[in-house]
Amino acid sequence: MARFLAGVASALLLTAAGLFWWRSSSAADIAPIPVAPTAAIAQAPLAEPPAATEKTREEKRFSRYDRDKDGAVSREEYLRSRRTAYAKLDANGDGVLSFEEYAAKSVAKYAAVDGDKSGTLTPDEFAKTRIVRKTRAKPNCPPPAPAEDAEG
């Protein structure tokens, strides 16, 4: 039993010694964090933050709808955008929106992609009917500085 306890104690001591040796050698490989130059930071002028606008998003939206600027949105002012969109679809201006007028854009798109004018779309022609969404413009930010590799 004494031999077993001596073996366990020596294994624990060897493990602890190896752990301490490993931690000390890996700490020596890590470069210290450089200190920021305080003189350059103190001399750089700070830019003024952008001024916030006085109107909130809802105030701006209300202002767009209130065409006569009387401080109230009438029913006609509220429905004006819908009337404009309807008028664009009502091609003959009769006040009645037929299916052909409603689907005119889709019919024109179908005719444009049906290259062989067969009245049916092949998989390649059908792929041309997909909706292409515009992506937001990326901000004009400088590219990040390349990271330096620390080899040890």
Side-chain angles (χ1 to χ4, degrees):
M1 180 71 161
R3 282 188 196 173
F4 178 72
L5 291 176
V8 169
S10 64
L12 288 174
L13 286 173
L14 283 173
T15 304
L19 182 64
F20 284 121
W21 176 76
W22 176 70
R23 297 280 267 162
S24 66
S25 66
S26 65
D29 294 341
I30 299 173
I33 298 173
V35 178
T38 56
I41 293 174
Q43 293 174 356
L46 296 177
E48 289 294 319
T53 60
E54 295 296 320
K55 290 186 175 184
T56 64
R57 179 178 288 181
E58 280 303 308
E59 287 172 336
K60 288 178 183 179
R61 190 171 80 91
F62 182 85
S63 180
R64 282 194 306 269
Y65 275 83
D66 186 16
R67 295 297 208 164
D68 58 4
K69 305 297 180 206
D70 64 349
V73 176
S74 68
R75 184 174 191 275
E76 290 302 315
E77 290 171 328
Y78 186 75
L79 296 176
R80 184 169 192 249
S81 62
R82 292 287 158 206
R83 290 188 192 286
T84 305
Y86 185 86
K88 285 181 184 177
L89 293 176
D90 187 17
N92 59 6
D94 64 352
V96 177
L97 191 60
S98 66
F99 180 78
E100 287 75 22
E101 291 172 326
Y102 171 74
K105 194 172 183 181
S106 297
V107 170
K109 188 176 199 178
Y110 187 93
V113 297
D114 187 15
D116 58 0
K117 306 299 180 209
S118 64
T120 59
L121 298 180
T122 64
D124 291 333
E125 291 171 338
F126 183 77
K128 296 176 187 175
T129 64
R130 73 179 178 90
I131 297 172
V132 180
R133 306 217 187 275
K134 294 180 182 176
T135 58
R136 290 185 180 177
K138 293 183 179 179
N140 189 11
C141 296
E148 293 182 22
D149 290 337
E151 295 184 22

